[in-house]
Amino acid sequence: MWITSSFTRFIVFVPDRPCLRVHQRGVPLTRRALITGITGQDGSYLAEDLLEQGYEVWGLVRGQANPHVARLRKHIGDVQIITGDLLDQGSLISAVEQVQPDEVYNLGAISYVPMSWQQAELTAEVTGMGPLRVLEAIRVVSGISASRTTEPRAQIRFYQASSSEMFGQVRETPQSELTPFHPRSPYGVAKTYGHFITQNYRESYGMFAVSGILFNHESPRRGAEFVTRKVSLGVARIKLGLATELRLGNLDARRDWGFAGDYAKAMRMMLTTDRPEDYVIGTGVTRSVRELVELAFATVGLNWEDHVVLDSKYTRPAEVDLLCADPKKAREQLGWEPEVTFEELVAMMVESDLALLSFSNRPEEEPFSPDHW
Ligand code: NAP
Ligand code: G4F
């Protein structure tokens, strides 16, 4: 064992434990975060934000040779990796035990809605039961008794990535923290379980466990299967003469789209408030897929009607027609505001994909792959 010290922090290294900090009057000198889903879009932005804030960041990664880790390492070097899987309770207990985090962000999920109809059971296990397993890992490692206690205590704080998909067939517009849920997909149902089990652990054990009900948020790092990235990549391919058409499903669906970087900040803010509460995060403006498409094509001087082809392959068994956030609580209590407008977001994504496809020096690789952040 050896000890280093500086004016700002003390670090104690113990051979089989990663890094135990010395606390001053019970306050950790550097906050340590553990993120599940760190290889996804939001994981990358959250890791960047936390590192900027001086956190030590750990990411839970599944699989013995996860190809997404190289991409993460390339873009965000300072993250430390620990293996584990949301399907495996023991691995989560080990991860929390080893990392000894101050904060745990559960972003891991099967997040693509159409896939949740094809693999409904797996979605329930990963997206629904995953949060329960992370909460249990925190409970066990923190020594919180399974018998009921609502005494708040100094402990690991937990963030659950809840979703506006839970509102589904909306009961009111805009949707707030008080709007009832009516999920329309196995994904939405699984997220609703994750949401309520988080609330239940807060109420049952006094845990600092919160859910952010996030509306759609996008970026150049978005997976190519989601509509915004599919459109930005499609527009770039057509502009560069690599394709002539873009096949899409329901153009009438409306979403409240924001920038993922802004939403990652909201996650951190929710875990640094005094009281554990749930928050809706969105812009408060709703647009149709048609408006998205029109704007994206116009960005490069093209008319969308010359290129977009409707394809029933992309319509869903049950659709969420309209989402629009009421982010008043987050604005008033967290001081959170989105910074990037819809127009800026669309331009950012189209420009990024134009650059990606123009300058790719490895054209043999599939440029639609999200591996190309
Ligand atoms: P994403 O890009 O699809 O990332 C999903 C992450 O989950 C990946 O890192 C993936 O890791 C991981 N994962 C999948 N199965 C796992 C398992 N069995 N064990 C551990 N990790 C697993 O999703 P995102 O857009 O960043 O979204 C982050 C979270 O917010 C998700 O929970 C999503 O449902 C939720 N959410 C997203 C939005 C949005 O608009 N983006 C809105 C509301 C809520 P691999 O690299 O191993 O595949
Ligand atoms: O981009 P999407 O696939 O996102 P969706 O289903 O709204 O889900 C995303 O946001 C949720 C938050 O509300 C997250 F919880 C979830 O993890 C995910 O990040 O589809 C958006 C809309 C849908 O109405 C869909 O029917 O676009 C419509 N759409 C039309 N044509 C299409 C397509 N969607 C996709 N993916 N591909 C199409 O060709």
Side-chain angles (χ1 to χ4, degrees):
M1 179 190 296
W2 54 280
I3 299 176
T4 63
S5 69
S6 72
F7 289 115
T8 53
R9 69 163 96 177
F10 291 80
I11 301 175
V12 181
F13 285 96
V14 182
D16 60 346
R17 302 289 290 275
C19 176
L20 297 180
R21 288 143 309 154
V22 173
H23 289 47
Q24 226 171 33
R25 288 192 293 276
V27 181
L29 296 177
T30 303
R31 289 190 79 72
R32 184 181 296 151
L34 172 62
I35 304 173
T36 76
I38 196 157
T39 54
Q41 170 190 254
D42 290 9
S44 73
Y45 283 105
L46 179 62
E48 276 175 353
D49 177 72
L50 293 175
L51 287 166
E52 263 173 43
Q53 300 292 320
Y55 279 65
E56 183 185 315
V57 178
W58 287 74
L60 184 98
V61 169
R62 66 180 169 142
Q64 63 186 49
N66 189 318
H68 298 155
V69 174
R71 176 182 68 183
L72 182 74
R73 283 244 176 272
K74 190 169 147 212
H75 291 267
I76 306 151
D78 285 344
V79 169
Q80 313 204 48
I81 299 297
I82 188 152
T83 54
D85 197 305
L86 288 170
L87 295 171
D88 182 359
Q89 180 72 74
S91 74
L92 298 173
I93 293 174
S94 296
V96 173
E97 203 165 41
Q98 254 195 287
V99 173
Q100 297 282 322
D102 302 295
E103 298 171 9
V104 175
Y105 295 85
N106 182 42
L107 310 187
I110 288 177
S111 74
Y112 185 45
V113 172
M115 190 175 157
S116 75
W117 277 284
Q118 288 158 3
Q119 299 186 29
E121 189 180 337
L122 184 65
T123 302
E125 281 292 344
V126 178
T127 306
M129 294 291 283
L132 170 63
R133 294 191 187 101
V134 179
L135 284 160
E136 270 297 285
I138 293 170
R139 187 186 69 74
V140 168
V141 172
S142 307
I144 298 171
S145 162
S147 60
R148 189 173 183 279
T149 167
T150 52
E151 285 298 306
R153 55 180 94 191
Q155 58 188 221
I156 301 167
R157 295 184 170 203
F158 174 77
Y159 172 87
Q160 166 60 13
S162 285
S163 167
S164 50
E165 269 289 305
M166 300 186 307
F167 296 122
Q169 192 154 305
V170 298
R171 306 275 180 87
E172 61 183 6
T173 296
Q175 295 87 46
S176 76
E177 294 79 6
L178 300 176
T179 303
F181 299 141
H182 182 151
R184 295 271 285 169
S185 62
Y187 168 83
V189 173
K191 279 287 175 190
T192 304
Y193 177 80
H195 184 84
F196 281 128
I197 200 67
T198 301
Q199 181 181 309
N200 179 262
Y201 269 51
R202 179 168 77 220
E203 293 174 359
S204 301
Y205 302 121
M207 286 172 68
F208 196 110
V210 307
S211 292
I213 308 174
L214 270 53
F215 284 63
N216 300 51
H217 44 278
E218 320 291 319
S219 74
R221 301 177 189 175
R222 186 59 143 149
E225 64 274 35
F226 299 94
V227 77
T228 51
R229 187 79 197 286
K230 183 172 172 184
V231 167
S232 65
L233 279 161
V235 166
R237 284 180 76 88
I238 292 167
K239 181 67 180 173
L240 295 171
L242 301 170
T244 54
E245 65 175 35
L246 175 61
R247 304 186 83 82
L248 294 171
N250 179 11
L251 301 186
D252 294 322
R254 301 185 75 86
R255 291 290 182 275
D256 178 336
W257 280 293
F259 171 55
D262 289 342
Y263 289 52
K265 291 189 175 71
M267 296 176 197
R268 185 219 337 129
M269 289 166 131
M270 280 180 233
L271 286 202
T272 44
T273 51
D274 294 337
R275 285 187 347 168
E277 289 185 30
D278 304 330
Y279 293 88
V280 156
I281 301 294
T283 69
V285 181
T286 181
R287 319 265 182 164
S288 66
V289 175
R290 185 177 284 100
E291 287 174 276
L292 161 75
V293 169
E294 191 173 356
L295 181 60
F297 275 91
T299 303
V300 295
L302 294 173
N303 180 357
W304 70 277
E305 285 167 307
D306 296 336
H307 303 283
V308 170
V309 177
L310 297 185
D311 189 335
S312 59
K313 192 166 83 183
Y314 298 110
T315 56
R316 301 177 178 188
E319 178 64 283
V320 172
D321 295 320
L322 164 68
L323 291 174
C324 182
D326 174 0
K328 185 164 173 264
K329 182 179 173 188
R331 189 170 55 240
E332 290 180 355
Q333 293 190 19
L334 300 176
W336 179 84
E337 295 266 14
E339 287 176 13
V340 177
T341 65
F342 179 68
E343 289 75 13
E344 289 166 342
L345 174 65
V346 172
M348 178 202 304
M349 292 180 71
V350 171
E351 280 161 23
S352 167
D353 283 327
L354 274 172
L356 175 71
L357 297 185
S358 303
F359 304 117
S360 173
N361 54 9
R362 287 182 294 175
E364 73 281 4
E365 286 183 15
E366 172 50 67
F368 267 45
S369 163
D371 286 340
H372 285 263
W373 281 357

